[in-house]
């Protein structure tokens, strides 16, 4: 209410609405809104008065003679004016938005239409946070709020304090409950089998961005088909505004056929609804935008891209001697190097010297990677050398034993020491520098010629130039021949290096990485910033440029360039994105290029993305897939809803449990609790161990004979590599349909029985121990760092292809680490080839091998199968 206070000094202060009017000595001043805070009540001795701060920096005005009761009222009036002014606009906006928000929730629940995240956020946009708004008030102002705000204002302030998205979630749960009841007949008949509750929930959840995490065999295709039918039936969109994207032509064809058939069976029209691969869709999109459909390069379309890289390399080697030398240098010397003087796994053992180390091209075992680089370079240059050769003079003393030099060149009587020094001169251990000084003194004392190399200089190929000059100065002839026959270790083959270049190119293109971008990445990865990496990049960009020249000459594009081009066109012209509902299958295999195109198809509001996949089945990182696109879905696409399909219609519960426990050892995998629709139980996963690798075919044939006793069944033999096919009998037993596939090609398929024919350890075992080349980390998406993460997911895919039984074959002493893990699982049993139970003793020393029987100088003993990496033994 308006109020006026008068002081004994003749001044007056009037209050009305949002202002104070001060009259004193014939002067009138209005203080509007927060300016009212210039007025405060002061007490001096026993008297109250006003202090009015100046607005222009002048001394404050002091007015005496205020009644104590009036002082309390003035304080309250000032607090009320300032508080209401600070909150006025925000509360007015909140009051308006509360009505709109309430109407949205009430209307959508009544009509049973999902409340999309973006629709709710559009209403809430611009509203201040409750805590931020209160932070603008002083403690006294906050304490007095209930007295100074009207009921409507207090309701508006309370609205700001609510968890609005939680209210949206609660409303959507009610919509979902009603829809599952009202659409019971639809969900029972949209597919050949009725949808489960979790499938129906994924269908009804018509949010802007929905990630469906689907366990193996959980019916993800049914969800996509039903989502399309549901959207059409409920009038959420029309068929021509629905797009379904798959990763290969077979999957796209199956989607199109199923969606057409099921929507037609419901009496709905599917005209214009499109299921396509990313590649065919991208091509048509470019054609629509530019009036010209791109041509995919024939060598890419025919899967001969690695051969094309090899052809480019051959031409460069023929026409450019510098490129030829650098290519051979990387392939022959640096292809297998770890990049560190101390790192790298030993790959050789010399029983005569009992030295574990690294195999050279000449066939001996040396102690370090630096020595292997030197030895291989010497061999390729035709230099005769002796490794670890004894010095002819007796130089042993109380501190030093017999001296053995790293290398000796008999033709020139020259000795060579290779020092494990870093670029800053640091030694690998204490006392190393003193040992270097002693060896140098030995040669100086006895007048023997010594040449020296250091790891940091040899790692950088320029170090070989100084080494070559030293050798030639001593009369040693160098004859570089990269085609020299190699009796010892295998080099990095031309084809493997070409495949590495092509893989690197796929990741560079998928991520739209430029030279500058790669250099920036390299600057943040000091462990990778090595001469080896720089040599590879130099080779790569030469090949990349020729690849692009070949594309231009053929008036063609490759798939990665095409996807990026399609994404760029949509980003520039959003009108090309005319779909309301976009669904993507196998989302865990999305590359950055596919993800970018998908994101470009999403308008600010009104579009809906359903991404279906299973991070447990992400097995295509080598081909450019970036799992973080799915695991970090919200970070990439925006706030999203996650639904899980955790009921498998394929496997038994026992197989599902074994497979789930196995893949979930990696804590980075998203959590799922997989339940078998057929209920608990099922045959255990069986591990069959044979004594020798050549006994695998007979053991597999015997197992197939046992399976053939019942009615006709399908058997998939799933090899880690194509050459595992030779382990499968040429003729299947009667009543069995036996097929061989690689595990990669088995994705999405199933069989009654699954056989894994060669789950052993080694480079071509399962898991494969062929390492990714370190340079790939520069262009690839980061992995989760868990050992054998992708191989583990691949093994999970193999296990979950089976409807009834899984049988894993391994070899004694060569058991895969995956087999060792399975042995710990209660759902796994071990049997011999005769069907009887067996025991496998896991090495207590390393936990990564098994104890196998061996003969030694002192008789029979058990040794670890990973020897020489682990030297654990036990008596027989």
């Amino acid at each position: 209410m308006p109020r006026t206070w008068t002081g004994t000094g003749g001044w007056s202060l009037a209050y009305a609405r949002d202002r104070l009017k001060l009259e004193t000595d014939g002067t009138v001043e209005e203080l509007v809104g927060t300016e009212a805070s210039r007025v405060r009540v002061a007490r001096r001795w026993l008297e109250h008065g006003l202090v009015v701060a100046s607005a222009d920096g002048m001394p404050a005005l002091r007015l005496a003679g205020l009644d104590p009761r009036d002082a309390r009222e003035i304080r309250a009036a000032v607090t009320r004016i300032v508080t209401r002014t600070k909150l006025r606009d925000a509360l007015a906006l909140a009051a308006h938005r509360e009505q709109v928000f309430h109407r949205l929730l009430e209307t959508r629940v009544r009509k049973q239409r999902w409340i999309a995240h973006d629709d709710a956020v559009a209403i809430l946009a611009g509203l201040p946070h409750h805590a931020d708004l209160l932070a603008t008030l002083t403690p006294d102002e906050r304490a007095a709020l209930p007295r100074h705000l009207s009921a409507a204002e207090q309701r508006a302030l309370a609205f700001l304090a609510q968890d609005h998205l939680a209210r949206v979630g609660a409303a959507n749960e009610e919509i979902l409950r009603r829809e599952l009841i009202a659409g019971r007949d639809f969900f029972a008949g949209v597919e050949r089998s009725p949808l489960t509750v979790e499938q129906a929930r994924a269908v009804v959840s018509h949010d802007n961005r929905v990630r469906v995490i689907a366990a193996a065999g959980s019916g993800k295709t049914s969800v996509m088909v039903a989502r399309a039918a549901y959207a059409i039936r409920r009038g959420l969109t029309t068929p021509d505004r629905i797009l379904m994207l798959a990763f290969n032509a077979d999957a796209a064809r199956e989607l199109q056929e199923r969606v057409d058939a099921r929507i037609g069976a419901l009496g709905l029209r599917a005209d214009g609804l499109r299921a396509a691969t990313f590649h065919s869709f991208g091509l048509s999109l470019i054609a629509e935008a530019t009036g010209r459909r791109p041509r995919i390069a024939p060598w890419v379309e025919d899967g001969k891209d690695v051969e094309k890289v090899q052809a480019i390399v051959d031409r460069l080697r023929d026409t450019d001697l510098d490129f030829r030398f650098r290519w051979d240098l990387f392939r022959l010397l640096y292809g297998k190097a770890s990049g560190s003087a101390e790192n790298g796994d030993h790959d050789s053992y010399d029983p005569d010297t009992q030295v574990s180390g690294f195999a050279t091209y000449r066939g001996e075992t040396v102690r370090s990677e630096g020595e292997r680089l030197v030895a291989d370079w010497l061999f390729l240059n035709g230099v005769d050398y002796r490794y670890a050769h004894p010095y002819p003079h007796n130089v042993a003393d109380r501190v030093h034993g017999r001296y053995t030099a790293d290398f000796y060149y008999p033709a020139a009587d020259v000795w060579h020491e290779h020092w494990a020094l870093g670029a800053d001169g640091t030694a690998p251990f204490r006392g190393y520098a003193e040992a270097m000084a002693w060896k140098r003194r030995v040669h100086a004392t006895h007048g023997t010629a010594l040449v020296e190399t250091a790891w940091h200089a040899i790692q950088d190929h320029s170090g070989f130039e100084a080494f070559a000059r030293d050798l030639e100065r001593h009369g040693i002839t160098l004859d570089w021949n990269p085609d020299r026959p190699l009796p010892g270790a295998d080099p990095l083959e031309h084809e493997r290096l070409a495949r590495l270049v092509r893989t690197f190119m796929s990741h560079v293109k998928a991520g739209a990485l430029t030279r500058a971008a790669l250099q920036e990445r390299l600057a943040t990865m000091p462990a990778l910033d090595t001469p080896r990496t720089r040599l590879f990049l130099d080779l790569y960009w030469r090949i990349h440029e020729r690849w692009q020249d070949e594309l231009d000459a053929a008036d063609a594009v490759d798939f990665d360039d095409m996807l990026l081009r399609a994404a760029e066109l949509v980003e520039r012209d959003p009108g090309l994105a005319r779909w309301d509902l976009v669904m993507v299958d196998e989302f865990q295999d999305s590359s950055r290029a596919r993800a970018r195109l998908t994101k470009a198809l999403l308008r600010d509001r009104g579009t809906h993305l359903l991404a279906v996949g299973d991070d447990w089945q992400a097995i295509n990182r080598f081909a450019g897939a970036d799992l973080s696109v799915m695991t970090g879905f919200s970070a990439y696409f925006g706030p999203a809803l996650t639904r899980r399909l955790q009921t498998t219609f394929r496997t038994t519960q026992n197989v599902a449990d074994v497979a789930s426990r196995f893949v979930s050892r990696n804590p980075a995998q998203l959590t799922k609790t997989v339940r078998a629709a057929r209920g608990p139980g099922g045959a255990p996963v069986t591990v069959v161990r044979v004594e020798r690798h050549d006994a695998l075919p007979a053991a597999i044939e015997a197992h197939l004979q046992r399976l053939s006793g019942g009615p006709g069944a399908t058997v998939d033999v799933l090899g880690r590599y194509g050459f595992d096919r030779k382990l499968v009998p040429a003729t299947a037993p009667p009543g069995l349909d036996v097929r061989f596939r690689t595990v990669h090609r088995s994705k999405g398929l199933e069989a009654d029985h699954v056989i894994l024919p060669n789950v052993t350890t080694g480079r071509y075992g399962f898991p494969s121990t062929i390492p990714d080349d370190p340079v790939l980390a520069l262009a690839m998406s980061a992995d989760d760092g868990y050992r054998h993460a992708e191989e583990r997911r691949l093994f999970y895919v193999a296990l979950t292809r089976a409807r009834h039984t899984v049988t894993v074959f391994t070899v004694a002493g060569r058991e895969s680490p995956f087999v060792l893990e399975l042995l710990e699982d209660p759902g796994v049993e071990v049997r011999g080839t005769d069907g009887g139970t067996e025991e496998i003793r896991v090495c207590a020393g390393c936990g990564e091998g098994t104890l196998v029987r061996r003969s030694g100088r002192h008789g029979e003993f058990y040794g670890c199968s990973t020897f020489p990496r682990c030297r654990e033994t036990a008596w027989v």
Side-chain angles (χ1 to χ4, degrees):
M1 296 293 291
R3 182 81 161 82
T4 300
W5 301 276
T6 302
T8 58
W11 58 267
S12 68
L13 181 69
Y15 160 57
R17 297 181 62 84
D18 61 350
R19 65 195 62 207
L20 295 175
K21 184 168 71 172
L22 177 65
E23 294 189 25
T24 177
D25 296 334
T27 301
V28 177
E29 182 179 8
E30 281 200 344
L31 296 95
V32 181
T34 56
E35 280 209 330
S37 63
R38 288 168 48 201
V39 175
R40 64 183 178 86
V41 175
R43 183 175 179 177
R44 188 172 184 181
W45 302 108
L46 299 176
E47 185 179 50
H48 288 80
L50 290 185
V51 176
V52 184
S54 171
D56 54 9
M58 299 296 290
L61 178 64
R62 297 182 177 276
L63 303 172
L66 183 62
D67 183 88
R69 186 182 62 183
D70 291 347
R72 289 193 298 273
E73 290 182 356
I74 291 174
R75 283 196 188 100
V78 169
T79 300
R80 178 179 175 84
I81 293 171
V82 173
T83 301
R84 291 174 58 82
T85 300
K86 288 180 177 178
L87 302 184
R88 180 183 55 217
D89 293 342
L91 294 181
L93 179 63
H96 170 67
R97 296 288 181 83
E98 180 187 24
Q99 295 178 15
V100 178
F101 187 70
H102 176 76
R103 191 160 55 246
L104 171 73
L105 270 57
E106 189 275 330
T107 303
R108 293 294 184 86
V109 170
R110 177 165 43 82
K111 293 184 176 181
Q112 293 175 210
R113 295 243 175 178
W114 191 268
I115 306 166
H117 174 274
D118 291 357
D119 289 342
V121 167
I123 294 173
L124 302 171
L127 287 177
H129 292 289
H130 181 265
D132 293 341
L133 193 60
L134 293 186
T136 65
L137 305 179
T138 66
D140 289 342
E141 290 167 350
R142 285 196 294 272
L145 270 179
R147 299 197 305 274
H148 298 320
L149 296 183
S150 67
E153 289 169 332
Q154 291 188 46
R155 187 169 61 248
L157 184 61
F159 173 69
L160 292 178
Q162 293 173 2
D163 185 341
H164 305 111
L165 294 183
R167 289 186 62 192
V168 172
N172 278 332
E173 281 298 313
E174 177 60 18
I175 293 167
L176 180 58
R177 185 189 69 80
R178 296 184 183 190
E179 279 292 87
L180 293 181
I181 296 172
R184 185 180 291 114
D185 292 342
F186 169 80
F187 297 122
V190 63
E191 277 280 77
R192 291 187 179 89
S193 297
L195 299 190
T196 64
V197 172
E198 61 186 9
Q199 287 175 323
R201 284 173 62 87
V203 168
V204 174
S205 303
H206 200 69
D207 221 312
N208 297 105
R209 292 159 295 273
V210 180
R211 176 182 64 170
V212 178
I213 302 172
S218 61
K220 62 183 177 61
T221 304
S222 292
V223 168
M224 296 179 70
V225 170
R227 167 65 80 100
Y230 177 81
I232 296 169
R233 172 177 172 269
R234 293 286 279 123
L236 303 176
T237 189
T238 55
D240 60 317
R241 299 183 71 85
I242 298 176
L243 175 66
M244 308 173 86
L245 294 172
F247 280 77
N248 60 60
D250 290 340
R253 186 164 44 253
E254 180 191 359
L255 270 175
Q256 189 72 64
E257 291 171 355
R258 279 180 64 172
V259 77
D260 288 345
R262 301 315 303 168
I263 290 177
L266 294 172
L268 304 171
R269 297 184 64 84
D271 301 12
L273 190 156
R274 183 180 181 191
T277 64
F278 270 95
H279 292 149
S280 64
F281 170 70
L283 290 170
S284 63
L285 193 64
I286 295 172
E288 178 185 343
T290 66
R292 185 171 181 269
R293 184 182 179 89
R295 174 174 175 259
I296 297 295
W299 64 86
V300 174
E301 200 158 32
D302 296 341
K304 298 188 180 299
D305 46 346
V306 175
E307 290 89 335
K308 187 66 173 180
V309 170
Q310 287 183 275
I312 290 172
V313 168
D314 288 343
R315 285 196 293 275
L316 284 169
R317 291 179 78 235
D318 289 342
T319 59
D320 187 329
L321 291 178
D322 179 66
F323 179 89
R324 182 187 186 93
F325 173 73
R326 289 170 176 269
W327 175 268
D328 289 335
L329 188 70
F330 187 91
R331 184 179 69 85
L332 294 170
L333 293 184
Y334 295 97
K336 294 186 288 186
S338 69
S340 166
E342 298 301 313
N343 292 340
D345 292 332
H346 290 179
D347 57 22
S348 179
Y349 176 73
D350 187 335
D352 295 330
T353 63
Q354 296 187 338
V355 169
S356 296
F358 303 88
T360 69
Y361 288 149
R362 199 172 73 172
E364 72 257 285
T365 300
V366 297
R367 292 177 293 261
S368 71
E369 286 203 89
E371 290 178 345
R372 171 162 64 183
L373 280 171
V374 171
D376 288 347
W377 183 87
L378 291 169
F379 181 82
L380 292 168
N381 276 286
V383 177
D384 182 27
Y385 66 87
R386 304 289 183 270
Y387 175 69
H389 195 64
Y391 195 61
H393 302 284
N394 184 5
V395 294
D397 56 26
R398 286 181 301 173
V399 177
H400 305 96
R402 186 179 183 185
Y403 172 36
T404 301
D406 291 336
F407 297 92
Y408 172 65
Y409 307 108
D413 193 23
V414 172
W415 302 84
H416 174 193
E417 285 293 346
H418 177 72
W419 312 120
L421 297 178
D424 57 358
T426 54
F429 54 81
R430 238 177 120 181
Y432 192 86
E434 291 79 1
M436 290 173 57
W438 177 81
K439 291 176 182 179
R440 286 167 175 160
R441 285 197 302 272
V442 165
H443 287 285
T445 300
H446 293 278
T448 47
L450 174 67
V451 297
E452 304 176 39
T453 56
W455 164 252
H456 70 88
I458 288 302
Q459 184 197 27
D460 182 340
H461 55 86
S462 64
F464 281 116
E465 297 174 11
F467 182 37
R469 287 194 298 271
D470 281 346
L471 293 180
E472 289 171 339
R473 180 167 50 84
H474 287 286
I476 297 174
T477 301
L478 302 178
D479 178 22
W480 174 262
N481 181 3
D483 299 318
R484 197 180 300 276
L486 307 177
D490 294 326
L492 179 63
E493 303 90 346
H494 284 286
E495 190 273 340
R496 269 193 67 200
L497 183 49
R499 188 173 296 279
L500 170 63
V501 169
R502 179 61 182 126
T503 301
F504 191 83
M505 182 186 294
S506 293
H507 290 282
V508 166
K509 285 173 170 273
L513 298 174
T514 62
R515 285 178 190 255
L518 283 181
Q519 285 303 123
E520 289 176 7
R521 283 193 174 198
L522 194 59
T524 66
M525 307 170 76
L528 197 57
D529 191 1
T530 64
R532 180 183 188 273
T533 302
R534 293 192 290 273
L535 176 58
F536 176 82
L537 288 176
D538 177 65
L539 293 168
Y540 170 75
W541 285 115
R542 297 285 302 280
I543 298 166
H544 182 105
E545 289 166 357
R546 287 295 181 95
W547 176 279
Q548 295 303 118
D549 290 343
E550 295 276 348
L551 291 177
D552 292 342
D555 192 23
V557 296
D558 59 28
F559 287 128
D560 294 304
D561 286 343
M562 181 271 294
L563 289 173
L564 292 173
R565 174 67 173 148
E568 289 168 358
L569 288 169
V570 181
E571 287 164 354
R572 286 205 298 262
D573 181 8
L576 292 169
R578 59 179 178 275
W579 293 274
D580 298 329
L581 174 57
V582 177
M583 291 184 276
V584 183
D585 194 13
E586 302 288 4
F587 202 72
Q588 76 280 350
D589 290 331
S590 290
S591 65
R592 285 277 168 174
R594 288 186 173 101
R596 181 176 170 183
L597 177 54
T598 301
K599 189 174 183 179
L601 295 175
L602 307 180
R603 302 187 298 274
D604 292 339
R605 283 182 64 188
T607 48
H608 302 266
L609 170 64
L610 182 79
V612 184
D614 181 9
D615 69 304
W616 290 8
Q617 299 184 73
I619 59 174
N620 287 312
R621 182 169 177 257
F622 72 96
D626 185 345
L627 181 55
S628 68
V629 171
M630 180 171 185
T631 56
F633 187 81
S634 294
Y636 195 82
F637 291 97
L641 181 69
T642 294
R643 293 291 188 221
R644 282 176 165 78
L645 304 182
Q646 301 182 120
T647 301
T648 178
F649 301 95
R650 179 184 300 151
T651 66
T652 64
Q653 187 63 54
N654 189 65
V655 170
D657 288 345
V658 171
S660 297
R661 287 190 289 263
F662 175 81
V663 77
S664 295
R665 283 183 179 237
N666 182 351
Q669 303 292 166
L670 300 175
T671 57
K672 285 191 291 293
T673 302
V674 182
R675 300 174 298 273
R678 67 182 73 175
V685 172
T686 302
V687 174
V688 177
R689 183 171 69 162
V690 301
E691 290 301 315
R692 303 178 317 280
H693 191 273
D694 59 10
L696 284 171
I700 293 170
E701 184 171 15
H703 178 68
L704 290 172
Q705 291 291 347
R706 287 192 289 270
L707 288 177
S708 65
T714 57
V715 181
D716 273 3
V717 183
L718 304 180
R720 174 61 183 84
Y721 293 97
F723 53 69
D724 287 333
R725 182 187 300 273
K726 66 180 182 293
L727 302 174
V728 185
T731 305
L736 289 184
D737 179 9
V738 180
R739 303 160 296 196
F740 175 84
R741 295 185 175 94
T742 63
V743 185
H744 277 100
R745 293 192 175 276
S746 74
K747 185 83 178 301
L749 304 175
E750 57 187 55
D752 292 321
H753 308 282
V754 162
I755 293 173
L756 305 183
N758 186 24
V759 187
T760 54
T761 190
R763 287 178 65 82
Y764 294 98
F766 201 169
S768 167
T769 57
I770 300 174
D772 285 339
D773 195 283
V775 298
L776 290 176
L778 189 60
M780 291 175 77
S781 61
D783 66 11
D784 55 38
Y786 197 77
R787 185 172 171 82
H788 300 312
E790 182 134 341
E791 290 285 306
R792 180 175 297 275
R793 292 190 291 265
L794 188 63
F795 197 75
Y796 170 82
V797 168
L799 294 175
T800 54
R801 301 308 95 193
R803 286 191 284 263
H804 299 297
T805 71
V806 177
T807 307
V808 176
F809 285 82
T810 190
V811 178
R814 294 185 54 204
E815 293 91 350
S816 159
F818 288 171
V819 168
L820 302 187
E821 288 186 24
L822 290 179
L823 298 180
E824 302 172 10
D825 194 291
V828 176
E829 66 178 18
V830 181
R831 297 201 171 270
T833 53
D834 60 357
T837 59
E838 281 198 351
E839 179 186 3
I840 300 177
R841 293 178 62 184
V842 179
C843 174
C846 66
E848 297 180 0
T850 60
L851 295 183
V852 295
R853 194 165 182 139
R854 292 197 172 105
S855 297
R857 284 179 288 184
H858 304 291
E860 299 285 309
F861 70 98
Y862 287 108
C864 182
S865 59
T866 68
F867 178 85
R869 183 157 49 87
C870 174
R871 295 170 178 264
E872 184 79 7
T873 59
W875 293 111
V876 172

